Amino acid sequence: MKKINVLFFILITIISTSVSAQTKVGDVTLPDNVKFNGEDLAINGAGTREKFIFDIYVGALYLKKKSSSASTIAKTDETMAIKLHIVSGMMSRSKMANALRDGFKKSTNGKTEKLNSRIEKFIGFIKEEIEVDQIYDIVYEKGKGSVIYKDGKERGHVEGLDFKEALFNIWLGTKPADKDLKIKMLGN
């Protein structure tokens, strides 16, 4: 009987640990911790990107240390990530490309001249059509640049802290893609 109680306690501990190591947003379960560039990152906040009345994707921000300062996060030269879990068939490759171009214009107040070739290079890494349940990780890896992963596989990267700042400001800037998602990513 004592062995059964010990096994039961171990099982409950394992279950509660794995349950607490995740964040649920709608029907999407996100990991509370991820690792990129050999660095552990923790979820800072997560929410849903909505367009009109439709949920498009669940987005999460991962940082080394929690922060609610959008401008500091965007400017910081350290590894961090934004995870996009696609939840709608309305998101396509061309819509994502257009949303990124529009986002860069908004995040730079229309001053994309120095970034244009890198913006197109970054968008070019999204080659296949986007489908429901695909996961895109947009990661700034210190010493490397802004990397895009699709379902855990690296698709390419673009160098420059200036590019990273503009990229992260698509979600965290003064004209974000979705104001409510920004607030949630910042842990508010």
Side-chain angles (χ1 to χ4, degrees):
M1 186 66 168
K2 194 173 185 180
K3 286 182 182 179
I4 291 174
N5 285 338
V6 170
L7 287 172
F8 181 74
F9 176 75
I10 291 170
L11 181 63
I12 293 298
T13 302
I14 290 169
I15 290 171
S16 65
T17 301
S18 64
V19 168
S20 67
Q22 299 175 343
T23 296
K24 190 126 169 100
V25 179
D27 293 333
V28 174
T29 302
L30 300 164
D32 281 349
N33 298 287
V34 295
K35 190 172 202 159
F36 290 102
N37 200 31
E39 298 185 58
D40 293 316
L41 305 174
I43 197 165
N44 194 70
T48 304
R49 165 70 167 111
E50 296 176 356
K51 185 101 176 184
F52 306 111
I53 59 169
F54 301 102
D55 293 345
I56 306 299
Y57 58 78
V58 170
L61 174 65
Y62 291 86
L63 304 172
K64 289 171 74 173
K65 182 180 173 188
K66 285 201 177 265
S67 175
S68 60
S69 174
S71 62
T72 300
I73 293 165
K75 291 177 182 177
T76 299
D77 184 15
E78 67 180 35
T79 299
M80 60 185 65
I82 292 176
K83 183 177 288 293
L84 306 177
H85 187 123
I86 308 301
V87 297
S88 171
M90 292 175 53
M91 177 56 79
S92 66
R93 183 195 176 289
S94 64
K95 286 181 182 175
M96 176 69 89
N98 290 335
L100 285 168
R101 285 184 190 101
D102 185 53
F104 274 107
K105 283 180 188 166
K106 288 179 180 176
S107 75
T108 63
N109 292 315
K111 298 175 183 166
T112 60
E113 300 83 29
K114 293 193 291 187
L115 302 175
N116 280 334
S117 64
R118 290 182 283 167
I119 290 169
E120 292 308 314
K121 179 180 179 182
F122 190 80
I123 290 170
F125 298 138
I126 305 170
K127 294 180 179 170
E128 297 90 19
E129 193 52 62
I130 295 174
E131 298 175 13
V132 173
D133 284 329
Q134 287 179 333
I135 298 170
Y136 288 85
D137 289 297
I138 297 169
V139 184
Y140 177 72
E141 295 183 11
K142 185 175 180 170
K144 184 172 183 176
S146 299
V147 186
I148 188 163
Y149 294 86
K150 177 186 166 201
D151 295 328
K153 294 181 182 170
E154 183 177 333
R155 297 301 180 177
H157 75 280
V158 173
E159 295 177 353
L161 187 57
D162 60 337
F163 183 85
K164 176 260 186 179
E165 183 177 350
L167 178 62
F168 274 66
N169 274 332
I170 290 173
W171 292 273
L172 303 176
T174 57
K175 300 174 190 171
D178 186 303
K179 289 178 185 176
D180 290 333
L181 177 56
K182 172 186 172 177
I183 290 166
K184 290 179 179 170
M185 282 182 159
L186 293 174
N188 300 320

